[in-house]
Amino acid sequence: MKTKTNNYINLEFPSRSSNEAFARMAVACFAAQMDPTLNELEDIKTAVSEAVTNAIVHAYPSTLGKIQLRAKILEGNVLEVFIKDRGRGIADIDQARQPMFTTGGEERSGMGFTIMESFMDKLLVRSEPEKGTVVVLKKRIAARVKPQK
């Protein structure tokens, strides 16, 4: 069953670390129309930041590549965010999703997927070595009761 999309954005940007903040804020601005709480908005920004940072650091460790970001507002007040790269891919997704596992060297914590999973309602990861990775994040935004006039 396909869920109806009420609104969407598509972005593409180079895998420069300076674009991580842009991606995080673009999704936050887009999600604002759903009337999220500040906590919900911070959760979204944190998860998007982790996903985009993973693409920058792990997909393209020694080269510049493209990152595609698509955000949708689905029926039921659900935000869905896709982050896609065409980088080196993930050989073992289950291993990569384990806390503290990283291929990014000592300066990386290995907590990216764990953080994404804890701040969003759903996390899906699809990857193929040498073809890239797609991360899908979903979060339902709670409906607010409007005050009576």
Side-chain angles (χ1 to χ4, degrees):
M1 181 176 166
K2 190 166 175 132
T3 305
K4 183 181 175 199
T5 301
N6 293 326
N7 201 1
Y8 70 93
I9 59 170
N10 284 308
L11 304 171
E12 182 177 277
F13 49 89
S15 60
R16 290 190 171 92
S17 60
S18 58
N19 286 329
E20 174 272 325
F22 166 73
R24 176 181 65 229
M25 294 310 292
V27 173
C29 289
F30 178 73
Q33 66 191 289
M34 301 172 74
D35 195 24
T37 64
L38 289 176
N39 286 338
E40 289 169 330
L41 208 50
E42 287 302 316
D43 290 351
I44 292 163
K45 287 166 51 178
T46 300
V48 169
S49 179
E50 290 295 331
V52 170
T53 297
N54 274 359
I56 291 167
V57 171
H58 300 290
Y60 306 109
S62 58
T63 186
L64 198 60
K66 291 181 183 175
I67 298 173
Q68 295 174 308
L69 185 149
R70 183 171 70 229
K72 297 178 180 180
I73 297 173
L74 305 175
E75 285 181 329
N77 221 33
V78 173
L79 177 70
E80 181 177 72
V81 182
F82 292 80
I83 293 102
K84 180 180 181 177
D85 67 68
R86 296 193 186 281
R88 68 181 187 178
I90 302 170
D92 185 337
I93 293 172
D94 290 334
Q95 182 182 37
R97 289 183 71 161
Q98 293 302 309
M100 309 305 286
F101 177 81
T102 184
T103 60
E106 289 181 19
E107 69 278 357
R108 311 306 312 174
S109 70
M111 295 298 290
F113 286 129
T114 303
I115 291 168
M116 287 180 245
E117 204 163 33
S118 67
F119 285 112
M120 301 299 277
D121 297 328
K122 191 169 191 176
L123 167 67
L124 300 169
V125 182
R126 295 187 305 267
S127 190
E128 194 173 333
E130 304 310 318
K131 294 200 176 177
T133 301
V134 175
V135 171
V136 182
L137 307 165
K138 288 187 179 184
K139 186 165 190 76
R140 181 178 305 281
I141 303 301
R144 313 271 169 263
V145 176
K146 305 277 185 200
Q148 296 282 331
K149 290 186 178 186

